[in-house]
């Protein structure tokens, strides 16, 4: 239907341009052309955004079916890559909400940009999943993402969700690597490209969940807090944990931790206190962060 409209409009505007014998007639034809372009831009961008969203959801669902984590602690099996699925950054509270609220051309352009970013990071996660390179060495997917986002000439914090690892680069050179704990399946860490929005040491975190919620936690002192998303996502120390790395984002036993260490974070990126202290001194406001 859109194609038919475009073909008809093109013929009509072409005839108007060819038959224009005055500046005013020519300007009127151009004005008509602009109106037709404007009329088709939003439907076209809406269609593209919906297609990209469906592609990402399908890719994430297929990946989760093929790659799972069986948790011996609670005897449940979880899909990997859940950060890109229905409960993740591309789920109902995120991309679906962004698409539902989109009205203007710029709204849809932003949605398409965000979806392309998610697809790029998802593809990097998928490619990195089979990479046996140790977490504390350079990963090819890190370099590819930094090149893609033009981050090779700056400080960059790269967080690999599948490895539960953080690698810190400076002008393309790996300078540090840490094991981390990211968001649990119900409260995943958002993939994407972010930056350090602010730093505070010390700080106190207070739960926004009601006290009768399983997601509630008491006011918690934090030594090193680095916010990367205004919805309350931080990189920070987690003194209540003693274990970090693969599997720690799922329910588990942490013999040296407190009762709040037995599952992944609420979406933040948790580090040991020493690692968080080093990172806090390394990053600055606007330091790039890639989570994939």
């Amino acid at each position: 239907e859109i194609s038919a409209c475009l073909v008809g409009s093109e013929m009509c505007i072409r005839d108007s341009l060819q038959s224009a014998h005055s500046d005013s007639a020519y300007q009127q034809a151009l004005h008509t052309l602009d109106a037709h372009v404007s009329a088709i831009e939003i439907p076209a961008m809406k269609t593209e955004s919906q297609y990209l969203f469906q592609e990402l959801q399908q890719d994430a669902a297929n990946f989760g079916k093929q790659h799972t984590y069986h948790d011996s602690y609670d005897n449940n099996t979880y899909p990997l890559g859940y950060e890109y699925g229905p409960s993740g950054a591309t789920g109902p509270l995120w991309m679906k909400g962004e698409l539902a609220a989109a009205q203007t051309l710029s709204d849809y352009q932003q949605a398409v940009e965000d979806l392309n970013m998610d697809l790029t990071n998802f593809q990097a996660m998928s490619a990195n999943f089979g990479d046996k390179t140790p977490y504390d060495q350079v990963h090819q997917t890190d370099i590819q993402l930094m090149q893609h986002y033009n981050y090779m000439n700056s400080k960059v914090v790269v967080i690999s969700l599948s490895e539960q690892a953080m690698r810190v680069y400076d002008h393309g050179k790996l300078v540090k690597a840490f094991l981390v704990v990211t968001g649990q399946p119900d409260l995943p860490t958002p993939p994407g490209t972010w930056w350090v929005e602010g730093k505070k040491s010390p700080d106190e975190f207070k739960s926004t969940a009601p006290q009768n919620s399983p997601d509630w936690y008491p006011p918690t002192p934090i030594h090193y807090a680095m916010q990367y998303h205004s919805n309350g996502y931080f990189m920070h120390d987690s003194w209540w944990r003693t274990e970090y790395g693969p599997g720690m984002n799922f329910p588990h036993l942490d013999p040296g931790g407190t009762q709040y260490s037995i599952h992944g974070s609420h979406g933040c990126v948790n580090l040991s206190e020493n690692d968080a202290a080093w990172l806090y001194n390394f990053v600055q406001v606007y330091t790039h962060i890639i989570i994939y």
Side-chain angles (χ1 to χ4, degrees), residues 19-173:
S19 62
H21 298 297
S22 67
D23 181 65
S24 60
Y26 186 74
Q27 292 298 325
Q28 180 60 42
L30 288 179
H31 177 75
T32 302
L33 175 61
D34 289 340
H36 281 291
V37 170
S38 298
I40 199 62
E41 277 182 325
I42 289 181
M45 292 296 289
K46 182 177 182 179
T47 299
E48 182 179 3
S49 62
Q50 291 172 339
Y51 171 80
L52 291 173
F53 180 77
Q54 291 170 0
E55 178 184 0
L56 181 58
Q57 290 290 280
Q58 187 62 52
D59 288 350
N62 290 338
F63 185 89
K65 290 177 182 177
Q66 297 169 13
H67 304 89
T68 58
Y69 177 84
H70 181 71
D71 192 339
S72 59
Y73 180 81
D74 64 0
N75 202 33
N76 283 327
T77 298
Y78 297 90
L80 296 176
Y82 59 81
E83 294 88 353
Y84 295 89
S87 298
T90 57
L93 298 180
W94 291 70
M95 280 309 309
K96 278 188 178 179
E98 184 174 347
L99 290 173
Q103 295 183 346
T104 66
L105 179 61
S106 61
D107 291 339
Y108 284 107
Q109 288 173 330
Q110 184 63 57
V112 168
E113 180 180 333
D114 291 343
L115 282 162
N116 278 319
M117 174 186 66
D118 286 331
L119 278 164
T120 296
N121 286 24
F122 174 80
Q123 291 160 2
M125 183 273 292
S126 301
N128 187 57
F129 188 79
D131 190 341
K132 302 303 181 185
T133 304
Y135 82 91
D136 57 355
Q137 295 182 22
V138 174
H139 282 235
Q140 188 60 35
T141 43
D142 296 355
I143 301 299
Q144 291 169 349
L145 286 171
M146 288 190 291
Q147 290 172 339
H148 177 80
Y149 293 118
N150 296 317
Y151 291 169
M152 291 297 288
N153 296 315
S154 62
K155 294 179 177 181
V156 186
V157 177
V158 178
I159 297 157
S160 170
L161 296 167
S162 63
E163 298 172 80
Q164 291 293 287
M166 173 187 292
R167 288 181 286 273
V168 184
Y169 293 85
D170 193 350
H171 287 71
K173 303 296 182 182

